[in-house]
C-alpha cells in the first residue's frame, strides 16, 4: 500500500477501505507515515467527508489503537454522557454524582476547555488537590466504590485520537463530521460504558456552528454507537446563551454545588435533568426520558447528590472542606460590572462572546498548553428574556489582573443586546434522537 495513493483517492472523493485506513493509522503511530501526510489526509476528509462505513472503520481502528477498559466485573449498568462543548456547560459535574446516587455507574473520561468552550477537567481542578489522572486499576476501584469517576484521557486510551486531535487543532480540521464522530466515540467506547448520552449543542456557543451539521452529528453519534452494540440517545440542546448564571472554572463548580443544595437555576436544571432522564432511560431505570427527568429532579431534592459529589472529590484527593465552604464566595481581586444602557428586555447574551470573554479573563485557553486560572469568570445577573432598566446590572466580570478585565469587556459589550419588545420564549431542548 502507498500512503500518497490513499491520500490522493480521498482527495478526489473516493472511498477508503478499512485496510487503507489501518495502514495510515498504524503508520502514523509507528512513525512510517509523517505528520504532514496525516494532515493532508485529514484535510481531504474535511472536504470530501466519509460515508457511514468509513466512519465506522475509522472509529474502530482509533479505538483499537489503545486499551479498551473492561468493566464487566462491576454489576450494574454503566452509562456516560458526552457534551460537544459549550459555555457555562457544567452538567457533567451534577450528572455523575446524581446518577451514582440513583444507582447507575458513571465512568467518565472528560476533556479540557479549548477555544471559547469550557472543559470539565479544568473545572474539577479548580478544587485544590483534585487529581484527574488515574491508572486503570484506580479508575475501576473508584467507580466501584463511589459509583462515579471523572478522569482525563490517558496515553493508553485511543492514542491515535490523541495524536490526530493535536494535528486537527492546529490545521483547521476540527469541525468535520466523520472526524468528530470517530474522535469522540473512540474515547467513549474505550472507557467501558454500555450506554451513552450525547448532549449536542446548537447555537453560537457550540463548537459546530451549522445547525444541520449538528443534527447530522447527533444522528451519526447515535447510529455509530449502536453499531458498536451500545445503547445511545442524543439530546440537541440550545447554546445561544450561556447555560446557568456562572461561567468560569470554580464559578461553575460553585453553581453546581448551589444546585445540589436546592437552588433553582431553571435552564441548567432543565438541560441537566433531561440528560439525566435519558441516562436513566438507557440504564433501564425509567420507562422514558420524561419519567427519568422526574426521578432525576427528585434526587436533587434530598441532598444525596451533594454527598456523592463530596465522596467523589475525596476519592480524587480533592479538598472536600474547600468544596463545603462554597457559600463563602471565593473571588479574585479585580472585578468590573456591566450595566444596561437602556430600558426593555434582554434580547441576546451571545454565548460565543461570553466564552471568549471568559478566555480573556484567564478561565480558558488560547493555545492547548496555556494554563487556566481557577477563580476568574463571569456572573450573569440577567438571562435572555428578562426585563431590564437602564443602569441595572447585566453581569460582573472577575480576573486576577486589571488588564484582563480590559481585554474581556469589549467581548461582553458586543455579546449583550437589549430591545424594547419582549421576545417569545426560548427552546432549550431542541430534539431528542434515539
Ligand atoms: N471533542 C472530541 O473529543 N473530539 C472532537 O473532534 C471534537 C470534540
Amino acid at each position: 500500500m502507498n500512503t500518497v495513493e490513499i491520500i490522493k483517492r480521498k482527495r478526489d472523493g473516493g472511498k477508503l477501505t478499512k485496510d487503507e485506513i489501518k495502514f495510515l493509522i498504524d503508520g502514523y503511530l509507528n512513525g512510517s507515515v509523517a505528520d504532514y501526510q496525516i494532515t493532508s489526509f485529514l484535510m481531504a476528509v474535511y472536504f470530501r467527508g466519509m460515508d457511514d462505513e468509513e466512519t465506522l472503520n475509522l472509529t474502530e481502528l482509533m479505538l483499537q489503537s489503545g486499551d479498551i477498559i473492561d468493566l464487566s466485573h462491576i454489576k450494574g449498568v454503566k452509562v456516560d454522557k458526552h457534551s460537544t462543548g459549550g459555555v457555562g456547560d457544567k452538567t457533567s459535574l451534577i450528572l455523575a454524582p446524581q446518577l451514582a446516587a440513583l444507582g447507575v455507574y458513571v465512568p467518565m473520561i472528560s476533556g479540557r476547555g479549548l477555544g471559547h468552550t469550557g472543559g470539565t477537567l479544568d473545572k474539577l481542578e479548580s478544587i485544590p488537590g483534585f487529581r484527574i489522572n488515574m491508572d486503570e486499576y484506580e479508575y475501576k476501584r473508584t467507580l466501584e466504590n463511589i459509583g462515579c469517576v471523572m478522569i482525563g484521557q490517558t496515553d493508553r486510551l485511543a492514542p491515535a485520537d490523541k495524536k490526530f486531535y493535536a494535528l486537527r487543532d492546529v490545521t483547521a480540521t476540527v469541525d468535520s463530521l466523520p472526524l468528530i464522530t470517530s474522535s469522540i466515540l473512540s474515547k467513549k467506547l474505550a472507557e467501558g460504558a454500555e450506554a451513552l448520552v450525547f448532549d449536542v449543542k446548537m447555537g453560537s456557543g457550540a463548537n459546530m456552528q451549522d445547525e444541520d451539521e449538528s443534527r447530522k452529528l447527533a444522528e451519526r453519534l447515535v447510529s455509530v454507537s449502536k453499531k458498536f452494540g451500545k445503547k445511545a440517545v442524543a439530546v440537541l440542546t440550545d447554546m445561544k446563551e450561556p447555560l446557568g448564571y456562572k461561567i468560569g472554572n470554580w464559578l461553575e463548580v460553585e453553581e453546581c454545588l448551589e444546585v445540589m443544595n436546592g437552588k433553582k437555576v431553571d435552564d441548567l436544571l432543565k438541560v441537566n435533568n433531561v440528560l439525566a432522564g435519558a441516562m436513566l432511560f438507557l440504564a433501564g431505570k425509567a420507562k422514558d426520558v420524561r419519567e427519568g427527568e422526574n426521578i432525576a429532579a427528585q434526587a436533587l431534592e434530598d441532598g444525596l447528590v451533594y454527598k456523592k459529589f463530596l465522596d467523589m472529590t475525596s476519592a480524587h484527593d480533592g479538598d472536600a472542606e474547600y468544596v463545603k465552604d462554597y457559600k463563602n464566595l471565593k473571588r479574585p481581586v479585580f472585578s468590573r460590572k456591566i450595566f444596561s444602557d437602556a430600558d426593555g428586555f434582554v434580547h441576546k447574551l451571545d454565548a460565543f462572546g461570553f466564552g471568549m470573554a471568559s478566555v480573556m479573563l484567564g478561565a480558558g485557553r488560547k493555545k492547548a498548553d496555556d494554563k487556566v486560572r481557577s477563580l476568574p469568570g463571569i456572573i450573569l445577573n440577567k438571562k435572555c428574556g428578562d426585563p431590564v432598566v437602564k443602569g441595572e446590572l447585566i453581569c460582573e466580570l472577575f480576573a486576577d489582573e486589571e488588564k484582563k478585565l480590559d481585554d474581556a469587556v469589549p467581548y461582553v459589550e458586543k455579546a449583550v443586546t437589549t430591545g424594547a419588545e419582549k421576545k417569545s420564549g426560548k427552546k432549550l431542548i431542541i430534539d431528542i434522537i434515539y
Side-chain angles (χ1 to χ4, degrees):
M1 253 181 258
N2 178 306
T3 307
V4 177
E5 285 304 315
I6 299 173
I7 298 171
K8 203 155 131 195
R9 192 129 46 74
K10 186 39 79 186
R11 182 200 68 187
D12 296 340
K15 177 169 171 161
L16 301 183
T17 66
K18 188 170 181 181
D19 283 346
E20 286 168 331
I21 301 172
K22 182 166 170 28
F23 181 81
L24 288 183
I25 293 180
D26 288 350
Y28 188 41
L29 291 177
N30 70 28
S32 60
V33 174
D35 268 4
Y36 49 81
Q37 291 176 306
I38 293 296
T39 301
S40 303
F41 163 70
L42 294 170
M43 194 53 92
V45 173
Y46 178 89
F47 281 113
R48 294 299 192 166
M50 279 184 153
D51 69 11
D52 282 349
E53 193 183 354
E54 287 174 296
T55 309
L56 189 72
N57 287 335
L58 179 62
T59 307
E60 187 176 344
L61 291 163
M62 299 215 310
L63 169 67
Q64 286 169 350
S65 71
D67 295 348
I68 300 172
I69 298 176
D70 179 7
L71 298 175
S72 57
H73 66 288
I74 301 176
K75 300 294 164 237
V77 198
K78 290 125 245 162
V79 185
D80 189 14
K81 183 258 352 178
H82 176 85
S83 162
T84 56
V87 180
D89 175 24
K90 48 189 83 73
T91 60
S92 292
L93 302 174
I94 305 173
L95 287 168
Q98 187 179 23
L99 270 287
L102 287 164
V104 177
Y105 289 98
V106 183
M108 199 179 266
I109 294 180
S110 300
R112 297 203 174 273
L114 192 59
H116 65 282
T117 62
T120 301
L121 299 179
D122 298 326
K123 294 170 204 180
L124 290 170
E125 283 184 341
S126 73
I127 300 169
F130 199 106
R131 200 164 43 81
I132 54 95
N133 297 314
M134 283 186 183
D135 63 19
E136 192 176 324
Y137 173 75
E138 193 182 6
Y139 169 79
K140 288 178 175 173
R141 203 190 53 201
T142 308
L143 180 66
E144 210 165 357
N145 291 344
I146 309 293
C148 56
V149 59
M150 302 175 88
I151 64 164
Q153 182 181 7
T154 67
D155 288 338
R156 298 170 67 105
L157 289 176
D161 169 63
K162 208 166 183 177
K163 287 195 80 180
F164 270 36
Y165 196 86
L167 276 187
R168 287 168 59 209
D169 196 33
V170 289
T171 56
T173 49
V174 169
D175 49 340
S176 144
L177 217 127
L179 296 180
I180 295 180
T181 306
S182 53
S183 167
I184 291 175
L185 287 183
S186 60
K187 292 184 288 267
K188 289 283 144 185
L189 295 168
E191 70 186 12
E194 290 126 340
L196 298 167
V197 170
F198 300 99
D199 179 4
V200 178
K201 300 288 181 197
M202 278 189 170
S204 78
N207 270 314
M208 205 174 246
Q209 297 294 314
D210 185 284
E211 301 224 337
D212 289 341
E213 285 291 298
S214 297
R215 187 175 284 276
K216 277 193 214 146
L217 174 63
E219 286 165 356
R220 213 177 256 200
L221 286 168
V222 170
S223 69
V224 177
S225 299
K226 286 184 178 167
K227 293 220 171 86
F228 279 95
K230 307 285 175 187
K231 295 184 193 168
V233 165
V235 185
L236 288 161
T237 63
D238 177 75
M239 191 25 78
K240 289 193 211 59
E241 73 173 315
L243 193 60
Y245 286 84
K246 297 186 177 178
I247 308 159
N249 296 314
W250 171 257
L251 284 173
E252 293 189 37
V253 176
E254 185 182 283
E255 186 165 46
C256 291
L257 296 169
E258 289 167 342
V259 164
M260 289 175 210
N261 282 287
K263 188 167 178 184
K264 304 292 175 218
V265 180
D266 291 345
D267 61 342
L268 173 58
L269 276 170
K270 178 70 191 172
V271 172
N272 185 83
N273 288 340
V274 169
L275 293 169
M279 293 170 84
L280 288 166
F281 166 63
L282 292 184
K285 302 242 177 204
K287 72 173 187 305
D288 53 25
V289 175
R290 175 63 65 86
E291 187 184 75
E293 185 184 343
N294 292 335
I295 297 171
Q298 190 55 44
L300 279 172
E301 299 292 325
D302 58 19
L304 286 179
V305 182
Y306 176 60
K307 184 173 176 313
K308 197 52 98 177
F309 186 87
L310 292 174
D311 291 347
M312 179 183 72
T313 299
S314 300
H316 282 260
D317 293 339
D319 183 347
E321 294 308 312
Y322 187 90
V323 172
K324 283 187 211 156
D325 188 43
Y326 73 92
K327 286 188 190 151
N328 207 353
L329 307 179
K330 303 166 196 1
R331 300 287 179 261
V333 180
F334 298 100
S335 67
R336 196 156 315 157
K337 293 184 162 129
I338 307 288
F339 300 100
S340 175
D341 53 12
D343 292 345
F345 296 89
V346 179
H347 278 187
K348 194 167 171 187
L349 296 169
D350 180 57
F352 177 76
F354 276 94
M356 287 309 296
S358 163
V359 172
M360 295 300 150
L361 292 168
R365 344 183 134 65
K366 294 178 202 152
K367 300 193 298 321
D369 55 355
D370 282 350
K371 288 254 173 302
V372 297
R373 308 279 180 101
S374 293
L375 298 184
I378 303 166
I379 302 182
L380 299 172
N381 187 48
K382 295 281 173 186
K383 297 287 289 186
C384 285
D386 285 355
V388 67
V389 293
K390 189 170 175 185
E392 204 180 349
L393 182 68
I394 298 274
C395 63
E396 188 167 4
L397 279 55
F398 299 90
D400 294 329
E401 296 162 45
E402 189 92 52
K403 161 86 175 62
K404 296 204 160 141
L405 293 170
D406 296 338
D407 294 341
V409 165
Y411 284 95
V412 170
E413 285 176 342
K414 214 169 140 209
V416 179
T417 314
T418 56
E421 349 55 74
K422 187 167 172 56
K423 287 212 168 167
S424 55
K426 42 193 178 187
K427 196 169 178 202
L428 280 170
I429 307 297
I430 297 153
D431 206 353
I432 302 183
I433 292 165
Y434 295 89

mmCIF file of all heavy atoms in Angstrom, residues 93-119:
data_model
loop_
_atom_site.group_PDB
_atom_site.id
_atom_site.type_symbol
_atom_site.label_atom_id
_atom_site.label_comp_id
_atom_site.label_asym_id
_atom_site.label_seq_id
_atom_site.Cartn_x
_atom_site.Cartn_y
_atom_site.Cartn_z
ATOM 1 N N LEU A 93 -20.721 17.825 36.027
ATOM 2 C CA LEU A 93 -20.402 17.886 37.458
ATOM 3 C C LEU A 93 -21.592 17.485 38.324
ATOM 4 O O LEU A 93 -21.425 17.020 39.451
ATOM 5 C CB LEU A 93 -19.971 19.306 37.834
ATOM 6 C CG LEU A 93 -18.764 19.887 37.086
ATOM 7 C CD1 LEU A 93 -18.551 21.336 37.450
ATOM 8 C CD2 LEU A 93 -17.516 19.075 37.399
ATOM 9 N N ILE A 94 -22.795 17.702 37.797
ATOM 10 C CA ILE A 94 -24.000 17.302 38.538
ATOM 11 C C ILE A 94 -24.383 15.865 38.177
ATOM 12 O O ILE A 94 -24.724 15.061 39.044
ATOM 13 C CB ILE A 94 -25.182 18.258 38.221
ATOM 14 C CG1 ILE A 94 -24.794 19.718 38.508
ATOM 15 C CG2 ILE A 94 -26.432 17.865 39.011
ATOM 16 C CD1 ILE A 94 -25.833 20.741 38.071
ATOM 17 N N LEU A 95 -24.317 15.570 36.861
ATOM 18 C CA LEU A 95 -24.829 14.275 36.387
ATOM 19 C C LEU A 95 -24.096 13.077 36.986
ATOM 20 O O LEU A 95 -24.733 12.074 37.337
ATOM 21 C CB LEU A 95 -24.718 14.207 34.857
ATOM 22 C CG LEU A 95 -25.723 15.063 34.087
ATOM 23 C CD1 LEU A 95 -25.332 15.133 32.617
ATOM 24 C CD2 LEU A 95 -27.123 14.494 34.239
ATOM 25 N N ALA A 96 -22.771 13.150 37.073
ATOM 26 C CA ALA A 96 -22.018 11.983 37.553
ATOM 27 C C ALA A 96 -22.462 11.605 38.970
ATOM 28 O O ALA A 96 -22.902 10.462 39.201
ATOM 29 C CB ALA A 96 -20.518 12.231 37.460
ATOM 30 N N PRO A 97 -22.434 12.554 39.957
ATOM 31 C CA PRO A 97 -22.906 12.162 41.293
ATOM 32 C C PRO A 97 -24.405 11.893 41.357
ATOM 33 O O PRO A 97 -24.855 11.053 42.141
ATOM 34 C CB PRO A 97 -22.527 13.366 42.177
ATOM 35 C CG PRO A 97 -22.303 14.507 41.248
ATOM 36 C CD PRO A 97 -21.862 13.927 39.946
ATOM 37 N N GLN A 98 -25.167 12.581 40.497
ATOM 38 C CA GLN A 98 -26.634 12.389 40.517
ATOM 39 C C GLN A 98 -27.000 10.965 40.099
ATOM 40 O O GLN A 98 -27.797 10.294 40.748
ATOM 41 C CB GLN A 98 -27.261 13.396 39.544
ATOM 42 C CG GLN A 98 -28.772 13.462 39.541
ATOM 43 C CD GLN A 98 -29.262 14.527 38.558
ATOM 44 O OE1 GLN A 98 -28.549 14.886 37.607
ATOM 45 N NE2 GLN A 98 -30.448 15.045 38.787
ATOM 46 N N LEU A 99 -26.399 10.503 39.009
ATOM 47 C CA LEU A 99 -26.706 9.147 38.536
ATOM 48 C C LEU A 99 -26.157 8.106 39.510
ATOM 49 O O LEU A 99 -26.790 7.084 39.772
ATOM 50 C CB LEU A 99 -26.132 8.948 37.132
ATOM 51 C CG LEU A 99 -27.049 9.320 35.944
ATOM 52 C CD1 LEU A 99 -28.161 8.287 35.785
ATOM 53 C CD2 LEU A 99 -27.672 10.697 36.086
ATOM 54 N N ALA A 100 -24.965 8.404 40.069
ATOM 55 C CA ALA A 100 -24.384 7.474 41.043
ATOM 56 C C ALA A 100 -25.309 7.351 42.255
ATOM 57 O O ALA A 100 -25.535 6.254 42.774
ATOM 58 C CB ALA A 100 -22.996 7.944 41.459
ATOM 59 N N ALA A 101 -25.880 8.490 42.674
ATOM 60 C CA ALA A 101 -26.800 8.464 43.821
ATOM 61 C C ALA A 101 -28.047 7.647 43.498
ATOM 62 O O ALA A 101 -28.715 7.135 44.391
ATOM 63 C CB ALA A 101 -27.186 9.885 44.222
ATOM 64 N N LEU A 102 -28.361 7.535 42.203
ATOM 65 C CA LEU A 102 -29.546 6.765 41.785
ATOM 66 C C LEU A 102 -29.190 5.324 41.400
ATOM 67 O O LEU A 102 -29.988 4.614 40.800
ATOM 68 C CB LEU A 102 -30.224 7.475 40.608
ATOM 69 C CG LEU A 102 -30.970 8.766 40.984
ATOM 70 C CD1 LEU A 102 -31.276 9.604 39.756
ATOM 71 C CD2 LEU A 102 -32.258 8.436 41.737
ATOM 72 N N GLY A 103 -27.956 4.914 41.692
ATOM 73 C CA GLY A 103 -27.580 3.516 41.477
ATOM 74 C C GLY A 103 -27.085 3.187 40.079
ATOM 75 O O GLY A 103 -26.996 2.025 39.706
ATOM 76 N N VAL A 104 -26.771 4.222 39.285
ATOM 77 C CA VAL A 104 -26.230 3.973 37.938
ATOM 78 C C VAL A 104 -24.746 4.358 37.964
ATOM 79 O O VAL A 104 -24.397 5.464 38.400
ATOM 80 C CB VAL A 104 -26.975 4.823 36.874
ATOM 81 C CG1 VAL A 104 -26.360 4.613 35.493
ATOM 82 C CG2 VAL A 104 -28.455 4.481 36.857
ATOM 83 N N TYR A 105 -23.872 3.483 37.502
ATOM 84 C CA TYR A 105 -22.438 3.781 37.489
ATOM 85 C C TYR A 105 -22.108 4.744 36.344
ATOM 86 O O TYR A 105 -22.602 4.572 35.227
ATOM 87 C CB TYR A 105 -21.627 2.499 37.299
ATOM 88 C CG TYR A 105 -21.657 1.613 38.526
ATOM 89 C CD1 TYR A 105 -22.539 0.546 38.607
ATOM 90 C CD2 TYR A 105 -20.799 1.856 39.596
ATOM 91 C CE1 TYR A 105 -22.570 -0.268 39.725
ATOM 92 C CE2 TYR A 105 -20.823 1.045 40.721
ATOM 93 C CZ TYR A 105 -21.711 -0.012 40.783
ATOM 94 O OH TYR A 105 -21.740 -0.811 41.901
ATOM 95 N N VAL A 106 -21.268 5.747 36.638
ATOM 96 C CA VAL A 106 -20.876 6.705 35.596
ATOM 97 C C VAL A 106 -19.348 6.732 35.472
ATOM 98 O O VAL A 106 -18.662 7.377 36.267
ATOM 99 C CB VAL A 106 -21.407 8.129 35.905
ATOM 100 C CG1 VAL A 106 -21.056 9.086 34.760
ATOM 101 C CG2 VAL A 106 -22.912 8.106 36.124
ATOM 102 N N PRO A 107 -18.804 6.011 34.472
ATOM 103 C CA PRO A 107 -17.365 6.076 34.211
ATOM 104 C C PRO A 107 -17.121 7.182 33.195
ATOM 105 O O PRO A 107 -17.485 7.051 32.039
ATOM 106 C CB PRO A 107 -17.078 4.700 33.592
ATOM 107 C CG PRO A 107 -18.367 4.287 32.951
ATOM 108 C CD PRO A 107 -19.489 5.064 33.577
ATOM 109 N N MET A 108 -16.533 8.300 33.625
ATOM 110 C CA MET A 108 -16.477 9.456 32.729
ATOM 111 C C MET A 108 -15.042 9.860 32.401
ATOM 112 O O MET A 108 -14.241 10.084 33.292
ATOM 113 C CB MET A 108 -17.219 10.633 33.372
ATOM 114 C CG MET A 108 -17.624 11.701 32.371
ATOM 115 S SD MET A 108 -18.522 13.057 33.148
ATOM 116 C CE MET A 108 -20.224 12.590 32.927
ATOM 117 N N ILE A 109 -14.762 9.900 31.093
ATOM 118 C CA ILE A 109 -13.459 10.417 30.666
ATOM 119 C C ILE A 109 -13.727 11.745 29.976
ATOM 120 O O ILE A 109 -14.438 11.795 28.972
ATOM 121 C CB ILE A 109 -12.744 9.404 29.760
ATOM 122 C CG1 ILE A 109 -12.423 8.178 30.627
ATOM 123 C CG2 ILE A 109 -11.471 10.006 29.166
ATOM 124 C CD1 ILE A 109 -11.715 7.059 29.957
ATOM 125 N N SER A 110 -13.210 12.813 30.570
ATOM 126 C CA SER A 110 -13.584 14.156 30.124
ATOM 127 C C SER A 110 -12.416 14.863 29.473
ATOM 128 O O SER A 110 -11.283 14.377 29.489
ATOM 129 C CB SER A 110 -14.054 14.985 31.320
ATOM 130 O OG SER A 110 -15.154 14.365 31.916
ATOM 131 N N GLY A 111 -12.716 16.071 28.958
ATOM 132 C CA GLY A 111 -11.681 16.841 28.273
ATOM 133 C C GLY A 111 -11.458 18.204 28.911
ATOM 134 O O GLY A 111 -12.124 18.575 29.880
ATOM 135 N N ARG A 112 -10.495 18.925 28.339
ATOM 136 C CA ARG A 112 -10.196 20.281 28.791
ATOM 137 C C ARG A 112 -10.891 21.280 27.878
ATOM 138 O O ARG A 112 -11.271 20.932 26.759
ATOM 139 C CB ARG A 112 -8.691 20.522 28.744
ATOM 140 C CG ARG A 112 -7.941 19.601 29.678
ATOM 141 C CD ARG A 112 -6.595 20.174 30.055
ATOM 142 N NE ARG A 112 -5.983 19.300 31.058
ATOM 143 C CZ ARG A 112 -6.174 19.393 32.366
ATOM 144 N NH1 ARG A 112 -6.952 20.337 32.853
ATOM 145 N NH2 ARG A 112 -5.605 18.553 33.207
ATOM 146 N N GLY A 113 -10.994 22.515 28.372
ATOM 147 C CA GLY A 113 -11.582 23.560 27.551
ATOM 148 C C GLY A 113 -10.612 23.962 26.457
ATOM 149 O O GLY A 113 -9.398 23.927 26.643
ATOM 150 N N LEU A 114 -11.161 24.278 25.297
ATOM 151 C CA LEU A 114 -10.322 24.813 24.219
ATOM 152 C C LEU A 114 -11.169 25.818 23.451
ATOM 153 O O LEU A 114 -12.362 25.609 23.273
ATOM 154 C CB LEU A 114 -9.833 23.682 23.306
ATOM 155 C CG LEU A 114 -8.715 24.089 22.331
ATOM 156 C CD1 LEU A 114 -7.494 24.601 23.070
ATOM 157 C CD2 LEU A 114 -8.314 22.920 21.450
ATOM 158 N N GLY A 115 -10.537 26.907 23.010
ATOM 159 C CA GLY A 115 -11.312 27.945 22.332
ATOM 160 C C GLY A 115 -12.279 28.558 23.338
ATOM 161 O O GLY A 115 -11.957 28.690 24.519
ATOM 162 N N HIS A 116 -13.476 28.879 22.875
ATOM 163 C CA HIS A 116 -14.417 29.595 23.748
ATOM 164 C C HIS A 116 -15.176 28.663 24.691
ATOM 165 O O HIS A 116 -15.914 29.131 25.548
ATOM 166 C CB HIS A 116 -15.412 30.376 22.883
ATOM 167 C CG HIS A 116 -16.295 29.483 22.071
ATOM 168 N ND1 HIS A 116 -15.869 28.866 20.919
ATOM 169 C CD2 HIS A 116 -17.570 29.066 22.268
ATOM 170 C CE1 HIS A 116 -16.855 28.130 20.438
ATOM 171 N NE2 HIS A 116 -17.887 28.222 21.226
ATOM 172 N N THR A 117 -15.000 27.336 24.552
ATOM 173 C CA THR A 117 -15.776 26.413 25.393
ATOM 174 C C THR A 117 -14.971 25.948 26.615
ATOM 175 O O THR A 117 -13.756 25.814 26.549
ATOM 176 C CB THR A 117 -16.212 25.165 24.597
ATOM 177 O OG1 THR A 117 -15.043 24.460 24.168
ATOM 178 C CG2 THR A 117 -17.040 25.532 23.395
ATOM 179 N N GLY A 118 -15.687 25.698 27.694
ATOM 180 C CA GLY A 118 -15.024 25.243 28.926
ATOM 181 C C GLY A 118 -14.836 23.734 28.922
ATOM 182 O O GLY A 118 -15.415 23.030 28.100
ATOM 183 N N GLY A 119 -14.007 23.239 29.855
ATOM 184 C CA GLY A 119 -13.770 21.790 29.931
ATOM 185 C C GLY A 119 -13.944 21.284 31.353
ATOM 186 O O GLY A 119 -13.543 21.946 32.319
#
